[in-house]
Amino acid sequence: MKRRTHVSKHAEQALTDSTYAQYIVNSTDDKGQAISTDFKDITDLRALFSDTDKTPNGPDAPLTFEIGFGMGGSLIEMAKADPDRNFVGIEVHEPGIGKCAFMAGEENLTNLKIIDGDAIGLMQQLPENHIDRVQLYFPDPWQKKRHYKRRFVSPKRMQIVTKVLKTGGWFHTATDWEHYAFWMLEVLDHFEGLTNTAGKGNFTPRPAFRPLTKFEKRGIDRGHGVWDLIYSKN
């Protein structure tokens, strides 16, 4: 669902200043203005890193794809912490896209690209066995029963995710909604082609590479739970 709310000064700067256009893949001009959701030409995420002068890791480096990175804070932290890995984030929230691009520029990152658009639509046009890790952190839980069909983790959507994962690659998700956590556990434990790395029926402790966000820490301080799940492709 396309969303645009208040855009901060820094986010607006990144959306309009050519300095940050190197991070936002599907902009309509060389200044990054009027970001387009038309990504029909993006059929290879690794090719986004083929210019080794700007992205020295090159296209063959391990590749992580994050779905719905929000304002981008944790994605930036991961890209900083693992400079030999390439990261691609996709988001529909333009203020978040701008903020993430601004932070990437402030950190002079060379291993991050940002796409504006729908993750499922993009993955449908990517090659098989293409991505090392797909991560989905704190997705909308769609709490009302009539909205369960909108939840990202479903057998139909996981077929698309599994297709683009390399053999041995990971799908990693985390949520602070207990009902959705057990929903995902049920779906994923019975999904052919994926194996729960913590053992069937188990959640995994938060891995060190997933940053603890301010929102998450506040929830934990209030006694809220957080559940991580990591599945590998058979």
Side-chain angles (χ1 to χ4, degrees):
M1 185 178 298
K2 188 70 175 172
R3 296 183 295 137
R4 185 180 178 93
T5 54
H6 174 71
V7 181
S8 70
K9 178 181 177 181
H10 287 161
E12 187 67 34
Q13 181 180 351
L15 292 170
T16 57
D17 187 334
S18 60
T19 303
Y20 304 93
Q22 61 181 306
Y23 297 109
I24 304 173
V25 174
N26 51 332
S27 55
T28 58
D29 59 29
D30 60 0
K31 293 184 178 180
Q33 294 178 340
I35 297 173
S36 170
T37 56
D38 181 5
F39 47 71
K40 64 181 183 299
D41 295 328
I42 305 174
T43 58
D44 185 338
L45 298 184
R46 293 181 177 277
L48 302 178
F49 302 92
S50 60
D51 184 348
T52 53
D53 288 334
K54 295 181 179 179
T55 54
N57 284 346
D60 298 325
L63 176 63
T64 290
F65 180 59
E66 178 161 345
I67 299 168
F69 57 77
M71 299 306 286
S74 63
L75 180 58
I76 294 294
E77 285 192 46
M78 284 185 284
K80 283 173 55 181
D82 199 349
D84 295 327
R85 173 180 290 271
N86 290 332
F87 292 81
V88 176
I90 189 166
E91 178 58 73
V92 296
H93 187 227
E94 287 186 353
I97 291 169
K99 182 65 179 298
C100 187
F102 180 83
M103 291 188 290
E106 290 295 288
E107 298 291 344
N108 294 313
L109 296 180
T110 61
N111 61 336
L112 175 65
K113 297 293 183 180
I114 300 166
I115 297 174
D116 178 3
D118 173 65
I120 290 295
L122 177 63
M123 286 189 289
Q124 286 177 319
Q125 61 196 34
L126 296 179
E128 295 184 15
N129 304 308
H130 186 59
I131 301 171
D132 295 278
R133 292 180 185 173
V134 174
Q135 53 196 37
L136 175 75
Y137 297 153
F138 304 99
D140 192 328
W142 294 107
Q143 299 172 59
K144 296 180 180 179
K145 190 170 183 179
R146 67 177 182 273
H147 292 156
Y148 285 0
K149 62 184 178 182
R150 298 183 183 181
R151 290 177 166 178
F152 187 93
V153 174
S154 67
K156 183 177 180 180
R157 293 184 181 91
M158 291 311 302
Q159 287 178 355
I160 298 168
V161 172
T162 305
K163 182 203 75 169
V164 302
L165 274 177
K166 287 186 173 184
T167 300
W170 284 2
F171 173 69
H172 179 199
T173 186
T175 183
D176 57 345
W177 286 89
E178 184 174 11
H179 183 272
Y180 193 22
F182 282 92
W183 164 288
M184 292 193 291
L185 182 67
E186 177 70 16
V187 170
L188 295 169
D189 268 0
H190 293 89
F191 187 83
E192 186 175 354
L194 293 176
T195 298
N196 189 334
T197 61
K200 193 170 183 178
N202 296 319
F203 295 96
T204 189
R206 180 181 67 85
F209 64 79
R210 182 175 75 73
L212 185 68
T213 66
K214 291 181 181 179
F215 172 81
E216 183 180 358
K217 185 178 185 303
R218 185 165 63 245
I220 291 173
D221 290 343
R222 294 174 179 175
H224 300 173
V226 176
W227 295 265
D228 280 75
L229 287 165
I230 296 178
Y231 286 78
S232 63
K233 180 178 177 178
N234 301 337

